[in-house]
Amino acid sequence: MPLNTDRKSNNYVISLEFNELCPSLMERFIKEGKLPNFRQLYEQSEVYTTDAQEKSPFLEPWIQWVTVHSGLPYREHQVFRLDEGHNLNSKRIWDIVSEAGLRVWVCGSMNASYNFGLNGYIMPDFWSTKVTPNSAELLPYFQFVQKQVQEHTNDSAPFSRGDYLRFLSFMSSHGLSLDTIVAIIQQLIREKITRRYRWQRATIADKLQFDLFRSYYQKFRPHFSTFFINSTAHFQHMYWRNFEPDNFSVKASVKDQIEYEKAILFGYQEMDKLIAKFLTLVDANTTLILSTALSQQPCFTYENSGGKRLYRPRKFENILEFAGVNTKYVCSPVMAEQFYIRFDNEQDAVEAEKKLLTLQVDRRSIMELKRNGKDIFGGCGIFDQLSNNAILTIANSEKSIPFFEIFYQLEDIKSGMHHPDGILWIRKPSCQHSVHKDKVSLLSIAPTILELLNIAKIDSMKGTALDYLTSYSRTS
């Protein structure tokens, strides 16, 4: 696509958005000598801990990343759910940088949207259905990975050998590296031999995304770029029980404990390898920022009921058909058990909501739904263990079907939950290192990035740039 190259600038910023990495785990793993590249980045950075300044239910990455990108708190941006970023009209960092005549490359940022005529490339997160890449050349990658991400727990999701071959053909001309090819082969061999470790495929997706990122980065040298990945956040949510088994009353099976005990560490170490690649990519004019927006902590809320179980429709159409919904709609999976149902008009959505709320198991309503106009957001609201012979029924009806013909249970028991603390490391070309004791607001990130690029923040941004050159800190 044509790029505006009128304005000259020698300042560049790469923002690594490694979702929900934990300051405490990062410190622990670095001290244990397990993350050498994170250690190097840490020792060359201004180190902060961010505070999301929100509590549940407003402590979610799809809320906090909008705050990071817009400089607005939730009370003002009001983006509450994933795939709703398009509802915010305020400019994001990349819009402002683009309007200043500089080039941008947004690679996977969560709940993103953008203004028309963006000076560069944007590929939104893979849960996005309302916002698509601004260039058709990114669509083969976006659409393939989107389907993989949204249906990664569903073994019945249709992916043919041809789908994979076409994707690899695209990647072969868009940066596919020998390292990634070797990693793919090793992953497939490991799965075939052990019949386990499929969950590790998420880190292969990270490697592919880095290859794509590097290809475009080297192609047109953006002044501001982002790189978002979520794999380790997922590992923390699902495998904290295995990571710290003594702290949980519900124990994993011996088989699962062996497989998942080091899953979280594995995620951090795979990201550590990516840090090495980014450190090689940057030059003397580039600031490298690591931010996580928020983090996680162990979740004990559901231990008394056997741990939090999640159930997801095998095919979304089947549950609506069973409920008697026969109007036109489009289903879009989100994370875990959640999904959107979008109708042509509000009346159809109202009727569908009424019908879905009549679905029961053991006289318990199973659906948690929130309707907004002609759109319904929701999922299965039962989180305890159901018996194998559970029956799905409709209230005041004789209609029934085995529950597990419509739904399947996600294999793992969720055991991590969100925490407002986040990581923010800023590695300037000077590599000056200091550790700042006081927590800082997420609202400071956008103004700081703009200042690094010599661009004034816009009036709507509520935070101020971090004055890390003059503020008191502990320097090592």
Side-chain angles (χ1 to χ4, degrees):
M1 64 183 296
L3 296 169
N4 176 8
T5 57
D6 291 341
R7 177 175 172 180
K8 304 296 183 182
S9 174
N10 291 324
N11 294 343
Y12 301 87
V13 174
I14 300 176
S15 179
L16 305 182
E17 300 176 346
F18 286 10
N19 193 37
E20 298 179 22
L21 297 191
C22 302
S24 59
L25 295 187
M26 184 70 75
E27 180 180 5
R28 169 179 168 178
F29 293 149
I30 286 177
K31 285 183 177 179
E32 292 173 353
K34 295 173 179 176
L35 303 176
N37 300 301
F38 274 119
R39 174 185 286 275
Q40 179 182 343
L41 179 61
Y42 175 88
E43 292 176 347
Q44 296 175 349
S45 297
E46 298 280 345
V47 175
Y48 298 89
T49 299
T50 57
D51 184 354
Q53 299 174 311
E54 298 287 357
K55 297 179 180 180
S56 180
F58 308 115
L59 188 63
E60 297 284 357
W62 42 87
I63 296 175
Q64 271 67 69
W65 283 115
V66 174
T67 295
V68 170
H69 299 144
S70 68
L72 296 172
Y74 168 72
R75 67 178 178 273
E76 295 192 29
H77 69 63
Q78 290 292 296
V79 178
F80 182 61
R81 295 188 179 88
L82 194 54
D83 200 21
E84 291 187 347
H86 62 282
N87 291 332
L88 177 64
N89 293 322
S90 297
K91 296 174 183 177
R92 271 50 166 212
I93 301 169
W94 44 81
D95 295 314
I96 300 166
V97 175
S98 173
E99 290 176 1
L102 302 182
R103 299 180 297 277
V104 301
W105 169 209
V106 179
C107 188
S109 288
M110 180 171 269
N111 237 0
S113 66
Y114 56 92
N115 290 341
F116 179 77
L118 190 78
N119 187 29
Y121 296 86
I122 181 166
M123 182 176 64
D125 68 72
F126 303 109
W127 299 275
S128 175
T129 64
K130 296 291 189 179
V131 180
T132 58
N134 69 328
S135 172
E137 64 185 87
L138 284 168
L139 284 175
Y141 184 93
F142 176 76
Q143 291 170 345
F144 179 85
V145 180
Q146 180 185 56
K147 189 174 181 181
Q148 287 277 356
V149 167
Q150 292 181 353
E151 296 290 358
H152 76 280
T153 62
N154 190 352
D155 290 335
S156 64
F159 292 97
S160 68
R161 179 175 295 183
D163 291 332
Y164 289 105
L165 291 176
R166 282 188 291 273
F167 176 72
L168 290 175
S169 176
F170 168 85
M171 285 301 304
S172 67
S173 61
H174 290 78
L176 182 62
S177 66
L178 179 60
D179 285 349
T180 300
I181 294 172
V182 171
I184 292 171
I185 294 172
Q186 290 175 336
Q187 176 66 29
L188 295 176
I189 292 173
R190 184 184 305 116
E191 289 181 26
K192 185 175 181 62
I193 292 174
T194 65
R195 299 185 181 277
R196 296 156 59 186
Y197 299 105
R198 182 182 173 89
W199 56 272
Q200 293 183 355
R201 288 188 182 188
T203 63
I204 301 296
D206 294 346
K207 299 179 196 305
L208 288 164
Q209 188 150 314
F210 174 80
D211 288 349
L212 181 75
F213 175 90
R214 179 170 55 189
S215 173
Y216 278 83
Y217 188 84
Q218 294 175 336
K219 175 181 176 181
F220 75 102
R221 190 72 161 95
H223 296 89
F224 174 65
S225 52
T226 70
F227 179 82
F228 175 92
I229 49 177
N230 186 63
S231 57
T232 301
H234 173 72
F235 297 161
Q236 290 174 159
H237 274 304
M238 305 312 296
Y239 307 128
W240 208 300
R241 180 183 316 280
N242 309 91
F243 176 62
E244 296 179 331
D246 293 344
N247 294 335
F248 289 85
S249 58
V250 178
K251 305 298 182 182
S253 67
V254 174
K255 177 183 175 182
D256 284 353
Q257 184 60 27
I258 292 172
E259 179 168 358
Y260 300 122
E261 181 178 13
K262 296 182 179 179
I264 291 178
L265 174 60
F266 173 81
Y268 277 78
Q269 290 179 316
E270 289 298 300
M271 288 188 168
D272 187 70
K273 296 174 185 176
L274 288 177
I275 291 294
K277 294 181 178 181
F278 277 104
L279 288 171
T280 301
L281 193 61
V282 299
D283 61 17
N285 296 315
T286 303
T287 296
L288 187 63
I289 298 175
L290 172 66
S291 57
T292 69
L294 64 167
S295 62
Q296 290 188 34
Q297 59 188 323
C299 177
F300 305 117
T301 307
Y302 300 90
E303 290 301 283
N304 291 336
S305 60
K308 187 175 183 179
R309 314 283 175 155
L310 300 176
Y311 304 94
R312 197 166 190 257
R314 297 181 183 275
K315 292 185 178 180
F316 296 98
E317 296 78 9
N318 290 353
I319 187 172
L320 276 86
E321 179 182 353
F322 179 77
V325 177
N326 51 28
T327 50
K328 186 178 179 181
Y329 60 84
V330 174
C331 278
S332 302
V334 189
M335 287 188 175
E337 82 283 8
Q338 297 174 324
F339 55 93
Y340 276 105
I341 317 169
R342 296 188 166 98
F343 295 85
D344 286 346
N345 58 73
E346 185 170 351
Q347 184 58 39
D348 287 349
V350 169
E351 293 301 318
E353 181 183 29
K354 291 178 181 177
K355 292 178 179 180
L356 288 167
L357 289 175
T358 65
L359 298 180
Q360 297 182 339
V361 169
D362 296 331
R363 296 186 179 181
R364 289 189 292 165
S365 178
I366 72 164
M367 301 302 295
E368 285 188 353
L369 304 175
K370 177 68 175 180
R371 186 181 58 80
N372 182 15
K374 60 183 181 179
D375 296 343
I376 296 175
F377 178 84
C380 182
I382 290 181
F383 302 117
D384 57 311
Q385 182 65 62
L386 294 175
S387 66
N388 292 335
N389 59 356
I391 300 297
L392 180 64
T393 61
I394 297 177
N396 302 316
S397 168
E398 298 298 320
K399 192 174 182 180
S400 67
I401 192 172
F403 177 84
F404 287 106
E405 284 190 19
I406 299 288
F407 289 85
Y408 67 96
Q409 180 175 332
L410 276 66
E411 290 184 1
D412 309 301
I413 307 173
K414 193 171 183 179
S415 54
M417 61 187 292
H418 294 135
H419 188 283
D421 286 359
I423 291 169
L424 178 63
W425 300 351
I426 302 175
R427 180 191 184 271
K428 294 190 70 182
S430 65
C431 295
Q432 175 181 325
H433 173 65
S434 56
V435 179
H436 299 255
K437 297 179 180 179
D438 295 335
K439 294 180 183 179
V440 298
S441 169
L442 291 180
L443 298 173
S444 295
I445 295 178
T448 299
I449 290 173
L450 292 175
E451 184 172 281
L452 288 166
L453 294 168
N454 294 321
I455 299 172
K457 75 166 188 171
I458 59 177
D459 292 340
S460 64
M461 290 182 173
K462 303 305 178 185
T464 57
L466 296 171
D467 189 14
Y468 45 81
L469 295 179
T470 58
S471 62
Y472 173 76
S473 61
R474 175 173 56 83
T475 304
S476 59

